[in-house]
Amino acid sequence: SGATTATLSFDYRRSGLDRASDYVKLEISSNGAAGPWAELTRFQGSATDSAYQSFSQDISAYISATTRVRLITSPTMGATDTVMFDNIQIQCSP
């Protein structure tokens, strides 16, 4: 809660997303689980990544003692549609 800047970063890889309606959206809230939730981006198809991709975004506008991040899948994601996430971190500076 005492930070002045914050950056969210991670690696992701999409596999088997066979249509544009297949996605995982990244949302953030500075008001905890109560929201409102802001969509930062979507990782959508149709796509299969051959390797992990890097993602980084400034989330300083959402700094609070109750900031939360969530990942939500689309209702059309099938059994073989996958989005993998690794090395998730938030780097802050005072």
Side-chain angles (χ1 to χ4, degrees), residues 13-36:
R13 184 174 181 183
R14 298 167 294 176
S15 178
L17 301 183
D18 52 354
R19 56 186 156 204
S21 61
D22 293 337
Y23 62 83
V24 174
K25 62 182 172 176
L26 172 64
E27 296 182 332
I28 192 166
S29 168
S30 59
N31 191 31

Side-chain angles (χ1 to χ4, degrees), residues 45-88:
S46 61
T48 294
D49 300 315
S50 61
Y52 275 89
Q53 311 294 314
S54 295
F55 174 87
S56 180
Q57 185 162 347
D58 182 350
I59 58 168
S60 300
Y62 301 96
I63 292 174
S64 78
T66 58
T67 299
R68 289 200 186 184
V69 176
R70 70 181 182 183
L71 298 161
I72 304 288
T73 60
S74 73
T76 62
M77 292 280 279
T80 60
D81 299 327
T82 306
V83 182
M84 297 163 277
F85 297 91
D86 197 10
N87 304 316
I88 299 171

